[in-house]
Amino acid sequence: LQFNNSDEVLSIVNSENFAYIVLTTNNKFKVLYKSPEPENISDLKVIPIMKNDFPYILTRNGKPETDMFWDKLLYYDGTKYRNSNRQRIE
């Protein structure tokens, strides 16, 4: 996701066991989210509602090497993305 009129790019990165949301700006990057348990993000939707200048993100997550999947609604708290309570916009 690239922000309008900006060189900032929001990316999802999956490692072997964890998912990350990374903000890249001018050859610098900052990890805004690291999954608290082993999971990978297989799909995401950007919700057109902003909190602290970043959009809400709805993700489809899966546990590595299993067939377990679930959804998460993530919001930016000013320093990092957090899982919303019961997938509700706060």
Side-chain angles (χ1 to χ4, degrees):
L1 167 68
Q2 184 167 5
F3 293 96
N4 287 337
N5 301 322
S6 174
D7 59 350
E8 294 180 324
V9 177
L10 200 60
S11 302
I12 303 296
V13 178
N14 288 315
S15 70
E16 186 175 335
N17 288 312
F18 294 97
Y20 300 87
I21 296 176
V22 178
L23 180 66
T24 307
T25 308
N26 293 331
N27 300 326
K28 296 179 186 177
F29 73 93
K30 180 179 178 183
V31 175
L32 300 182
Y33 174 80
K34 180 185 178 216
S35 57
E37 66 255 348
E39 68 182 357
N40 288 141
I41 296 174
S42 61
D43 189 27
L44 70 92
K45 292 180 176 66
V46 176
I47 308 299
I49 298 172
M50 306 289 272
K51 183 164 187 166
N52 298 313
D53 297 324
F54 284 85
Y56 279 81
I57 300 173
L58 180 63
T59 62
R60 180 73 172 155
N61 303 35
K63 187 170 183 174
E65 300 186 28
T66 71
D67 60 352
M68 292 176 51
F69 290 95
W70 62 93
D71 296 325
K72 279 187 178 180
L73 180 63
L74 302 173
Y75 69 93
Y76 188 69
D77 71 357
T79 56
K80 63 183 179 177
Y81 269 94
R82 294 187 177 272
N83 190 21
S84 68
N85 189 18
R86 299 180 186 249
Q87 297 180 358
R88 296 186 186 260
I89 292 177
E90 299 173 3

